[in-house]
C-alpha cells in the first residue's frame, strides 16, 4: 500500500496558478511574451487563472473602467487559448475566500517583511498621493491567491518573484506553527516568449501605459490600425534587415515576425535578406494581423453575448470556490475559530 501511495504521489499532476490584473488593454507584447502560451499550461498541469480585480483597486480606477477591463480580460484569456472546460478561469472577487484568507495571513506576516517589498516602494514614489494600505498589503493578498489553491508553481515576471518569496515565508511560518497546511509554492520566470519593444521607441518595453500611440499594438486593434503602426515603426538609416544591438528597431520587428510565425530570428533574417525596409515592415504587419485575427474574432463572439460570458464566469468561480473553501476551512480550524 505504501509503495502504491508513493507511485500515486509521483504521478500526481502539478498545480499551476496565475493571476492577471485587469489594468489597461493587453498588447502584442503581452501576448507574445506570455499570453500566447497560457493555453498550453493546462496540458501538463492543473491550471487556474484569476482575473485579479481585487488587486486592481490599489490605484484609482473608474467603476465602469474596472467592469470593462474585467470582462475584456476574461474574454481575451479564453480567446488566446485558455480552455474553460479543462482549466479554471475566474474573477478573484467572485471567490470571497481570497479576501478572507488575506486577512488571516496578515497576522502571520511581519511588518518588516511587508515593508521591504520593492514594488510598494516604487509605486509609492510614482503615486505619493495614493499610498494606501491596500497597496502595502498587496503581497499578502497575492499570497492568499496562491495558497488557497495549494499551487505548486506560480509563473511570474521577475518583478513579482519577491512577492512569491514572501508567500513562501508565510506558508512555512503557518505550517511550522500549526502543522502542514499549505503547499509551499515555487515562483518561476517563464523562459518562453519574446521580449517585445515599442514600435516608436525600440529601447522601451511595449507597455499598456503607452496609451493609443503608434508604439503599442493592442490585441484588439483593427487590421488597418495594426498596419498603420507597423508602417510607421522606427528602423534606422541602414538598409540591411539583420538583428544586432545597434539596430534595435529592426531587431524588434524581426523578433515579432519570428514569434508570430513560430520560427527563429535567424530564419526571419534569411527570409528578408533581399527586402527593403518598406516591404519588410509591411510583411511584419501582415503577419501580425493574421496572427491576431482569430483572437479578435473569438473575442468579439464572446463579447456579443454578455449573459453567456457571465455564465462562464459563474462556472469558473464555482469550481475555484470549491477548492478555495476546502483550504480556508482547514485554516480556520487550525487557528482555533469555532466552526458551525
Amino acid at each position: 500500500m505504501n509503495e502504491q501511495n508513493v507511485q500515486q504521489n509521483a504521478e500526481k499532476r502539478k498545480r499551476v496558478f496565475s493571476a492577471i490584473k485587469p489594468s489597461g488593454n493587453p498588447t502584442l507584447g503581452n501576448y507574445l511574451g506570455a499570453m500566447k502560451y497560457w493555453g498550453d499550461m493546462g496540458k501538463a498541469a492543473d491550471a487556474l487563472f484569476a482575473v485579479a480585480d481585487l488587486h486592481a483597486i490599489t490605484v484609482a480606477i473608474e467603476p465602469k473602467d474596472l467592469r470593462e477591463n474585467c470582462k475584456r480580460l476574461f474574454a481575451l484569456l479564453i480567446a488566446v487559448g485558455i480552455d474553460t472546460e479543462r482549466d479554471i478561469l475566474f474573477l478573484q472577487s467572485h471567490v470571497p475566500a481570497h479576501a478572507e484568507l488575506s486577512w488571516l495571513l496578515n497576522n502571520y506576516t511581519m511588518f518588516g517583511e511587508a515593508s521591504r517589498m520593492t514594488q510598494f516602494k516604487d509605486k509609492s514614489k510614482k503615486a505619493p498621493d495614493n499610498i494606501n494600505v491596500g497597496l502595502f498589503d498587496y503581497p499578502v493578498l497575492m499570497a492568499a491567491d496562491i495558497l488557497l489553491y495549494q499551487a505548486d508553481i506560480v509563473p511570474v515576471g521577475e518583478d513579482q518573484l519577491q512577492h512569491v518569496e514572501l508567500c513562501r515565508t508565510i506558508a512555512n511560518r503557518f505550517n511550522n506553527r500549526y502543522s502542514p497546511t499549505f503547499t509551499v509554492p515555487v515562483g518561476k520566470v517563464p523562459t518562453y516568449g519574446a521580449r517585445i519593444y515599442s514600435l516608436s521607441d525600440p529601447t522601451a518595453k511595449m507597455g499598456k501605459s503607452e496609451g493609443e500611440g503608434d508604439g503599442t499594438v493592442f490585441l484588439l486593434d483593427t487590421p488597418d490600425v495594426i498596419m498603420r503602426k507597423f508602417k510607421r515603426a522606427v528602423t534606422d538609416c541602414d538598409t540591411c534587415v539583420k538583428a544586432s544591438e545597434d539596430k534595435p528597431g529592426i531587431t524588434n520587428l524581426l523578433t515579432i515576425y519570428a514569434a508570430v510565425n513560430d520560427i527563429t530570428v535567424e530564419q526571419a533574417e534569411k527570409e528578408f535578406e533581399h527586402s527593403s525596409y518598406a516591404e519588410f515592415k509591411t510583411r511584419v504587419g501582415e503577419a501580425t494581423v493574421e496572427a491576431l485575427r482569430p483572437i479578435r474574432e473569438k473575442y468579439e463572439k464572446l463579447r456579443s453575448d454578455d449573459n453567456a460570458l457571465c455564465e462562464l464566469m459563474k462556472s469558473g468561480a464555482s469550481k475555484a470556490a470549491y477548492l478555495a473553501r476546502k483550504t480556508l476551512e482547514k485554516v480556520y480550524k487550525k487557528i482555533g475559530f469555532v466552526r458551525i
Side-chain angles (χ1 to χ4, degrees):
M1 180 64 73
N2 287 338
E3 289 180 2
Q4 185 179 7
N5 287 341
V6 169
Q7 185 178 359
Q8 287 176 345
N9 288 335
E11 295 173 354
K12 180 177 176 286
R13 279 163 62 93
K14 296 289 186 182
R15 183 170 289 171
V16 178
F17 175 85
S18 187
I20 306 97
K21 192 162 62 173
S23 58
N25 190 350
T27 70
L28 178 66
N30 299 137
Y31 174 64
L32 296 180
M35 293 173 73
K36 180 181 178 182
Y37 305 92
W38 288 344
D40 290 334
M41 285 186 191
K43 295 177 182 177
D46 293 332
L48 294 99
F49 299 91
V51 175
D53 49 348
L54 294 177
H55 286 287
I57 64 170
T58 58
V59 296
I61 184 169
E62 290 295 321
K64 63 181 178 60
D65 292 334
L66 179 60
R67 281 191 291 271
E68 172 57 26
N69 287 354
C70 288
K71 289 183 178 182
R72 178 173 56 205
L73 181 57
F74 189 89
L76 267 174
L77 290 174
I78 299 172
V80 300
I82 290 177
D83 185 343
T84 54
E85 292 295 320
R86 179 195 64 201
D87 308 324
I88 298 178
L89 172 64
F90 64 101
L91 263 63
Q92 182 189 25
S93 66
H94 290 171
V95 182
H98 287 257
E100 290 183 63
L101 183 59
S102 179
W103 171 250
L104 298 177
L105 295 184
N106 277 329
N107 300 280
Y108 302 89
T109 308
M110 299 302 105
F111 183 84
E113 292 168 341
S115 64
R116 284 194 291 271
M117 298 295 103
T118 54
Q119 271 214 345
F120 171 72
K121 295 175 183 176
D122 293 342
K123 291 185 178 182
S124 296
K125 289 177 183 176
K126 291 178 182 177
D129 296 330
N130 188 39
I131 307 175
N132 56 69
V133 176
L135 186 64
F136 181 77
D137 205 33
Y138 183 110
V140 183
L141 176 57
M142 181 173 165
D145 299 336
I146 298 165
L147 298 179
L148 272 175
Y149 301 103
Q150 307 293 351
D152 299 287
I153 302 166
V154 187
V156 290
E158 289 183 6
D159 60 334
Q160 293 286 334
L161 276 176
Q162 189 185 32
H163 290 171
V164 179
E165 283 305 309
L166 178 61
C167 173
R168 288 170 54 84
T169 298
I170 296 168
N172 279 318
R173 181 174 290 134
F174 194 95
N175 289 348
N176 290 336
R177 179 165 179 177
Y178 295 105
S179 72
T181 306
F182 297 119
T183 298
V184 180
V186 175
K188 287 194 175 180
V189 178
T191 54
Y192 53 66
R195 188 181 291 270
I196 305 301
Y197 296 91
S198 166
L199 299 185
S200 59
D201 179 6
T203 63
K205 183 181 174 183
M206 183 184 284
K208 302 178 198 175
S209 60
E210 193 171 333
E212 301 293 334
D214 286 337
T216 297
V217 175
F218 296 102
L219 289 190
L220 299 176
D221 277 345
T222 63
D224 288 346
V225 170
I226 293 172
M227 290 304 301
R228 187 196 76 224
K229 290 179 178 180
F230 274 100
K231 287 178 180 179
R232 294 180 180 178
V234 169
T235 52
D236 54 51
C237 58
D238 198 352
T239 57
C240 180
V241 180
K242 194 165 183 64
S244 66
E245 287 186 10
D246 61 343
K247 297 166 74 74
I250 293 297
T251 301
N252 189 40
L253 292 173
L254 281 168
T255 302
I256 292 170
Y257 187 83
V260 298
N261 286 292
D262 292 317
I263 62 175
T264 66
V265 169
E266 289 74 22
Q267 288 173 312
E269 285 178 332
K270 190 169 182 60
E271 193 171 330
F272 292 108
E273 61 183 344
H274 301 301
S275 299
S276 67
Y277 276 0
E279 179 189 354
F280 170 53
K281 290 196 286 186
T282 297
R283 290 272 305 280
V284 179
E286 289 170 346
T288 302
V289 166
E290 291 310 308
L292 298 185
R293 188 186 302 280
I295 295 172
R296 191 175 62 255
E297 289 175 352
K298 188 168 184 179
Y299 170 85
E300 288 171 354
K301 184 177 180 181
L302 286 162
R303 290 305 306 271
S304 68
D305 189 340
D306 209 53
N307 289 332
L309 190 67
C310 287
E311 285 302 315
L312 288 173
M313 289 180 178
K314 287 180 184 178
S315 175
S318 176
K319 294 173 187 174
Y322 172 76
L323 296 175
R325 201 73 212 174
K326 288 204 300 185
T327 297
L328 188 63
E329 281 302 312
K330 191 184 299 184
V331 171
Y332 275 131
K333 288 176 182 176
K334 289 200 175 184
I335 293 174
F337 286 96
V338 176
R339 312 309 292 155
I340 54 173

